Amino acid sequence: MTKEQYEKWSAPYRRKRNGISILIGIDRAITAVVFVSYPVLLAALMIQKLYGEMLLCVVVPAVSFVLVSLFRKFYSAPRPYEILDIQPLIKKNTKGKSFPSRHVFSVFMIGMTYFYMYWPAGIAVGILGIALAYVRVVGGVHFPKDIAAGALIGILSGMLYFIR
């Protein structure tokens, strides 16, 4: 992604009245819906006394999240606003830790967890993940490679652990 590409992608949101607020609202709403839905899934598994599945649905995302977080800490790729001299639509003060996108990874990992237990919900969360990936790039906080890697790692982590 270049500065010119980013300016072109973000221009419709900058021009539209409340465009930036809408983009930020979508980012927050998707994040909230997915992250609130995850404990709901775990509670449903507990109520159904599916303790083995519940444990798997906790351990796999937790281990994957820790590994992604450690990689990001040590690799610490810069964010678009650090190297492209752009004003991101989504305000963030973080330096580095852009690759892979942990937001996108988490949504796709949760999506795979849902897919494992109830595939229609997994597909719905995956669609939200695609929307979030778009928002994070247009918002200027991630490069396309960051969100692609986050999505791929989330999907592969889920496949690796959840395929029986």
Side-chain angles (χ1 to χ4, degrees):
M1 176 170 73
T2 64
K3 179 178 181 174
E4 292 75 24
Q5 286 172 317
Y6 176 72
E7 296 296 337
K8 182 179 176 182
W9 296 341
S10 65
Y13 300 95
R14 291 179 194 281
R15 283 193 305 260
K16 188 173 185 173
R17 184 170 181 239
N18 296 324
I20 296 171
S21 297
I22 290 168
L23 191 77
I24 292 168
I26 292 169
D27 180 57
R28 290 180 181 161
I30 291 172
T31 301
V33 165
V34 173
F35 293 116
V36 167
S37 77
Y38 179 58
V40 170
L41 171 64
L42 298 177
L45 294 172
M46 183 182 284
I47 289 167
Q48 296 174 53
K49 298 183 181 181
L50 297 171
Y51 302 118
E53 284 83 356
M54 187 185 80
L55 182 62
L56 192 61
C57 289
V58 170
V59 171
V60 172
V63 168
S64 300
F65 184 83
V66 167
L67 292 174
V68 165
S69 297
L70 288 172
F71 176 80
R72 279 169 41 111
K73 181 178 180 172
F74 291 110
Y75 185 70
S76 197
R79 293 179 178 272
Y81 56 80
E82 292 180 82
I83 60 176
L84 296 180
D85 189 33
I86 61 169
Q87 288 296 325
L89 301 181
I90 298 172
K91 301 294 181 213
K92 197 162 179 70
N93 294 324
T94 305
K95 300 279 190 220
K97 300 181 208 161
S98 182
F99 182 87
S101 168
R102 201 165 49 186
H103 269 82
V104 173
F105 158 78
S106 296
V107 169
F108 277 92
M109 184 72 245
I110 292 168
M112 290 301 291
T113 304
Y114 265 104
F115 193 81
Y116 171 69
M117 296 310 302
Y118 182 63
W119 68 266
I123 290 172
V125 173
I127 291 167
L128 289 175
I130 292 167
L132 183 67
Y134 169 80
V135 166
R136 303 296 287 177
V137 171
V138 171
V141 294
H142 284 291
F143 288 102
K145 67 179 172 67
D146 302 337
I147 57 98
L152 185 62
I153 294 167
I155 291 167
L156 291 176
S157 295
M159 289 174 65
L160 180 66
Y161 290 102
F162 292 132
I163 292 179
R164 295 177 186 199

